[in-house]
Amino acid sequence: MSDINKVVLAYSGGLDTSVIVRWLQDTYKCEVVTFTADIGQGEEVEPARAKAKALGVQEIYIDDLREEYVRDFVYPMFRANAIYEGEYLLGTSIARPLIAKRLIEIANETGADAISHGATGKGNDQVRFELGAYSLKPGIKVIAPWREWDLTSRETLMTYCAERNIPVDFAGKTKKSPYSMDANLLHISYEGGKLEDPFWEPEEDMWRWSVSPEAAPDTPTYIEIGYQKGDPVTLNGEALSPATMLETLNKMGGDNGIGRLDLVENRYVGMKSRGCYETPGGTIMLRAHRAIESITLDREAAHLKDELMPRYAKLIYNGYWFSPERRMLQAAIDESQDFVNGIVRLKLYKGNVVVVGRKSDNSLFDEAIATFEDDAGAYNQKDAEGFIKLNALRLRIAANKGRSQLS
Amino acid sequence: MSDINKVVLAYSGGLDTSVIVRWLQDTYKCEVVTFTADIGQGEEVEPARAKAKALGVQEIYIDDLREEYVRDFVYPMFRANAIYEGEYLLGTSIARPLIAKRLIEIANETGADAISHGATGKGNDQVRFELGAYSLKPGIKVIAPWREWDLTSRETLMTYCAERNIPVDFAGKTKKSPYSMDANLLHISYEGGKLEDPFWEPEEDMWRWSVSPEAAPDTPTYIEIGYQKGDPVTLNGEALSPATMLETLNKMGGDNGIGRLDLVENRYVGMKSRGCYETPGGTIMLRAHRAIESITLDREAAHLKDELMPRYAKLIYNGYWFSPERRMLQAAIDESQDFVNGIVRLKLYKGNVVVVGRKSDNSLFDEAIATFEDDAGAYNQKDAEGFIKLNALRLRIAANKGRSQLS
Amino acid sequence: MSDINKVVLAYSGGLDTSVIVRWLQDTYKCEVVTFTADIGQGEEVEPARAKAKALGVQEIYIDDLREEYVRDFVYPMFRANAIYEGEYLLGTSIARPLIAKRLIEIANETGADAISHGATGKGNDQVRFELGAYSLKPGIKVIAPWREWDLTSRETLMTYCAERNIPVDFAGKTKKSPYSMDANLLHISYEGGKLEDPFWEPEEDMWRWSVSPEAAPDTPTYIEIGYQKGDPVTLNGEALSPATMLETLNKMGGDNGIGRLDLVENRYVGMKSRGCYETPGGTIMLRAHRAIESITLDREAAHLKDELMPRYAKLIYNGYWFSPERRMLQAAIDESQDFVNGIVRLKLYKGNVVVVGRKSDNSLFDEAIATFEDDAGAYNQKDAEGFIKLNALRLRIAANKGRSQLS
Amino acid sequence: MSDINKVVLAYSGGLDTSVIVRWLQDTYKCEVVTFTADIGQGEEVEPARAKAKALGVQEIYIDDLREEYVRDFVYPMFRANAIYEGEYLLGTSIARPLIAKRLIEIANETGADAISHGATGKGNDQVRFELGAYSLKPGIKVIAPWREWDLTSRETLMTYCAERNIPVDFAGKTKKSPYSMDANLLHISYEGGKLEDPFWEPEEDMWRWSVSPEAAPDTPTYIEIGYQKGDPVTLNGEALSPATMLETLNKMGGDNGIGRLDLVENRYVGMKSRGCYETPGGTIMLRAHRAIESITLDREAAHLKDELMPRYAKLIYNGYWFSPERRMLQAAIDESQDFVNGIVRLKLYKGNVVVVGRKSDNSLFDEAIATFEDDAGAYNQKDAEGFIKLNALRLRIAANKGRSQLS
């Protein structure tokens, strides 16, 4: 079993992917290249180097991808106001194509003929990694150990570690969470364990990035976010890079109990799954972006975006970032953002993100026309009669022919 | 100027529509029938009778439409999770078709040849009233005084009252709000005045239905809503009629600072407009309905609903409730709700509506399959490989032919 | 290898499925039940009985499903004006769910625990059969020999026949076509062989159901189709059952060179594929249905149907007939067809289907309003000004704020 | 009645618009600038100069816009495969924004404060002209004489001509058609007269651009169209400019009886209307474009285009070419066309346009994978099992929970 010579592994430095390093070496008799990325998961990535070395890895990649991640993936997605199934901000989904892209780049640089990852055969992440990889390098081989091996219980895994001298403290010093967790700059997620009962409310100490609304300060925090072409560029007047913007908003949001979400979602592989998420900065950015669009975007452009959004969100959820159809939708969305500039003022308070003001040099809000006061002829109310009459014409003809719209 | 013999007026009992009664009598030399509905606006409707009589009206209709309103309009709309422009719960929009329907019924009963309303020529309500009326009775005449008369300032209106002996205390005893307000069981709205500056944050005492999150209780309220075929039918185990359900949720939501919204929306007549809304019960119902759907609705049914929703919401916003296209969408939506049964548990706290549990005999959440633990063969992880391979095939072929998905 | 006791096979009586009978018996040591359906493929189904008996089959089902096929599958689909990828009338796709349904019914009747079919692992039909089967009986096992066995060339297959005493004349007496063909009442299809070069024009004698336009009569045939609730019910004034209607239109269309199609389509499994189709009756029905809708359907209902159609067609193409999302779309479509009644007059001539007249008691075509002559006030041209002004308002505001719509 | 100083009129040189020149001069006491465009209507435009002079016009614009028309309007629209209501190729609709644009340019050059056109108040063209104009110059005034004057019958018009010395032979020497006709390079249209009965078949001599299929040659014409980025650039190997391409295809199509259409359509102003059209070149281009896309476009890109198309077509039909939403859709469509290159081979015969071949260096048709013969491992049929299993998973879970997909 092996025509694989070298494989690039998405390596976290944790126990599971460390086992995978050894398992790949054993099973495929191949060289393993590790790739560890800082995408804002909040853990040091540098320790992965020593661990990889200890496993005999010779080519070790450790990259800080935070700015690229927010600039080229998170921001374009937020231009679309993307939400999956009415609630989920796609925090895991949007990080995967970047990992896939970097795996392929490293495969190209190192002459590897395969990539590998630690995602299970039941989840969405395997799909996102592999669709991304195949789209960028169609001949790449993909090894997904969780779909192949028989180390499917904690015991078999521990036995394997013991037999192969894999230090179990790779599992990390922090108390093991009962949940399957994943984090990047956009969010942290929790799955599994007691969450598998959708009627069970998670205990307070599951949440790691935010305080509860109850524990948040009793006084609100006001902030102002400045937008340019649909992207947040300033916070309270100060220009911030994409990653710094999101980090700062995560902090502010988390401090104010903002961004927790508890839902049951539909996975691409066909089953429903309970997930809990903390997305403090993203929750703020979504409200703020809609607010700046509300005064700067044309009505029909906004409605077209709203109708395309569920489809766009589904593409990202399902792993089709690197696809022609996502690019088409992105082209339409980006075309709409040229004038999405201005300032949004927000109040953060105990879980609430309240838009309290928006202004823009590109505002289409026209007080002269909107006013209930005298508008000096800016709008001719008599026009409304013709507007209604012609919009009603087809309905009147139908009614005249005896059709009833009462059920 | 008049081939109008009798006109049915949507009459609130307030000053403006009282002026309209007199103006119709004067201008069209016609008989006026008044129609006053209780749709949960929170004001007595019975006093309208004496006022109408004082104006010489002989046919006076006063109806309690609250149950019909929630059962036949609000509930069907909530099955769709309808939101206009990402935020607005359509509280004004959905009340209009019912008024239009009742105006036409009364016109039929009284032999009137016209209807009239007090909506301005700049807003959406004129469109909603008139499209509804034309769709149900195509030959009806519509008189919209605000598009016709010259009483466009407070002074001219007052002069008119003085000349015609219209008691100005019709304006009501309560301190005049600086805002244009409208209410029904689903919400109360505020427009105009200082809100016409979208960067101005409304002062606390504008809001009438809810306390601020700051003023809400420090301890959460937990509730359980029971659903049947997509509609809420029990609250904490007790069966409630539609109107009682919404009234109760309004009270609970308002007490917990829930349901305030401040936005800039796009009117059908073409301009942007600032509106503030309180929709306490509706805000709870939207979250709860999505939650019960999350475990009972098929994935693709849910996604189809999400893609159709913006269009459905736009139809209602624009006044097309009584239209073939709304009925088509309703048929699709209702088809999906047969199994949307079960219980949602929610936590209400200082502006937050948090879903903390959902359960259903019709749940499609399958723990045996979703589990990260051993699933005893319920799901074959190896299937995922073929699934990914074939979904990737078109992308790989394209990449093989030299197409890049990097921009 | 076998926990299978009894399997129901979709059996054509041809060589391939006869081999499958034997292969199933050999490989799974199980009893085989054959099911042969007349869905209008134009070949006798009764001979399949003797062949099955010769192979030792004891439970033999031979059904005439033609009326059910057209009434419950073809007609509902044509209400939607369904076309896949702008051209394909879904002639193969729509027959598959019926076969799947019948396989499951027979499995239930005979106590079989599996079904089997002769579709390859590269095509759409396997997906359609199996999705249908799983949706109707989730625990059913599916055996797809072409994905399992090694009889992948003509030689290995013939050797297998020789070894197992399967009479090769099961292949049929008619000269073997160089194409892979499939037929049912809606169409006949051709794939493979020289068609695999998309620049190659098929030779005239490939086509079996229609004469070429060149060979069609020099004088046109006029026909009138009567519709009720969106379905064709009369032809030239005579009531016809669904299957008879389609058979008759196939004959008329084929005689006039109508319904040939040559295209490259995208399969659900990921590759492009060349297909040629003859759909004479369907081609006529599609034009006729659109024509009767053109005078009886409301504009916005028609447009909504047009926007939903590609998605509906894709669902059928991909095999999701028995799915909640197809049922939702069907509910919307059927809701629109109540008044789609009337007569369409068509001219058939050398490949052309020309609509030359449509009339209906439910027509919404209003000569009084449409006329360019004096309309006696039915339509007030001045209404158009207000209609245009308000529709233009958002565009004018944007232009006033300096936005250009020139690229 | 006049704060108008100078008005630019879309002037055909015919009687109606000549009357408008005089009526504008009389009614508004303003200067009239005439603008006559050659957009391929097939009549000389130069004679309009002398007629305008005779009416006292001093600023006369006569432009050949044929290349701009096809390059910047027709070709982008055909990239979308745009069809309105399943049949109409938008031949009138797409010409209007160009006229509007040129009217505004001339208004800017000549300092005019208004534009005027000869479209009636019942049709779509008024909307298209005026939306275009307002979008490009929001403060422009629009004069639509047919909505204002009382010259609504032939007699009053003739009396007006006699009183004002307008030479009636402006009406043209050619025998007056009983139909309202309009032409440009893309099509010629017929409305009114006996066509107002939708069951009446137009007589043969109504049609002007094409012979009937019956009268077309008995031998087919084969052609090859070369595409680049979705636009036709060569015909039978020869590079042709956009206007020349369309002119040539019109000739070839018309000679072969191609492109006639007879339909009832839904106007934006609310009524149904019968129209007959000849679009020979466009009919060919639509089939050819779909054919080249069929081998070069990704499946999901093609399906997204198909789903967006009805909306795009409706925008153009309704007059929203110069709108943000049309530009968004165009951006998505154009994004998809980069690899739509290659050759389509077509057979033209007595009304039929038959695609008989397509080839491209950018073809995604992969014979190695599509073949029914041995594919040497290019495609693993076993992958299909996992693909089907996971796509079926949600359906199986639902069925397991007792849900039936039979109605």
Side-chain angles (χ1 to χ4, degrees), chain B residues 81-93:
Chain B
N81 301 320
I83 314 177
Y84 182 68
E85 298 188 340
E87 316 223 42
Y88 174 42
L89 293 179
L90 296 161
T92 303
S93 326

Side-chain angles (χ1 to χ4, degrees), chain A residues 85 121-122 138 198 214 262 272 297 299 303 314 325 347 350 352 358 369 371 379 381 394 396, chain B residues 85 121-122 138 198 214 262 272 297 300 303 325 347 350 352 358 369 371 379 381 394 396:
Chain A
E85 298 187 342
K122 281 194 171 179
E214 287 89 336
D262 174 346
K272 290 183 181 291
L297 209 57
R299 179 185 70 196
H303 293 183
K314 184 174 186 169
E325 64 273 25
K347 173 183 165 185
K350 284 189 182 288
N352 298 277
R358 35 335 230 169
I369 286 177
T371 186
Y379 176 98
Q381 299 209 19
R394 64 182 174 96
R396 296 175 82 179
Chain B
E85 298 188 340
K122 281 192 171 180
E214 287 88 337
D262 173 345
K272 289 182 181 292
L297 208 58
E300 294 304 311
H303 293 184
E325 64 272 25
K347 173 183 166 186
K350 284 188 181 288
N352 298 276
R358 35 337 229 167
I369 287 177
T371 186
Y379 176 98
Q381 299 210 18
R394 65 183 174 96
R396 296 176 81 178

Side-chain angles (χ1 to χ4, degrees), chain B residues 66-85:
Chain B
R66 288 176 297 170
E67 290 293 349
E68 181 181 2
Y69 173 48
V70 182
R71 184 188 64 232
D72 294 348
F73 294 82
V74 174
Y75 275 14
M77 181 175 81
F78 271 78
R79 282 176 220 141
N81 301 320
I83 314 177
Y84 182 68
E85 298 188 340

Side-chain angles (χ1 to χ4, degrees), chain A residues 203-274:
Chain A
E203 69 280 335
E204 178 55 31
D205 72 356
M206 176 189 78
W207 307 98
R208 304 207 167 184
W209 277 22
S210 64
V211 301
S212 70
E214 287 89 336
D218 288 328
T219 51
T221 304
Y222 280 82
I223 62 172
E224 290 188 4
I225 303 180
Y227 275 87
Q228 225 165 48
K229 296 201 171 206
D231 293 336
V233 293
T234 62
L235 182 61
N236 295 328
E238 186 188 359
L240 296 183
S241 75
T244 311
M245 172 69 75
L246 187 46
E247 274 163 9
T248 312
L249 292 176
N250 277 338
K251 178 78 173 62
M252 288 175 161
D255 286 350
N256 284 289
I258 286 163
R260 293 183 178 184
L261 190 62
D262 174 346
L263 55 75
V264 175
E265 73 198 52
N266 291 291
R267 286 196 193 142
Y268 190 24
V269 291
M271 81 276 281
K272 290 183 181 291
S273 142
R274 168 85 170 280

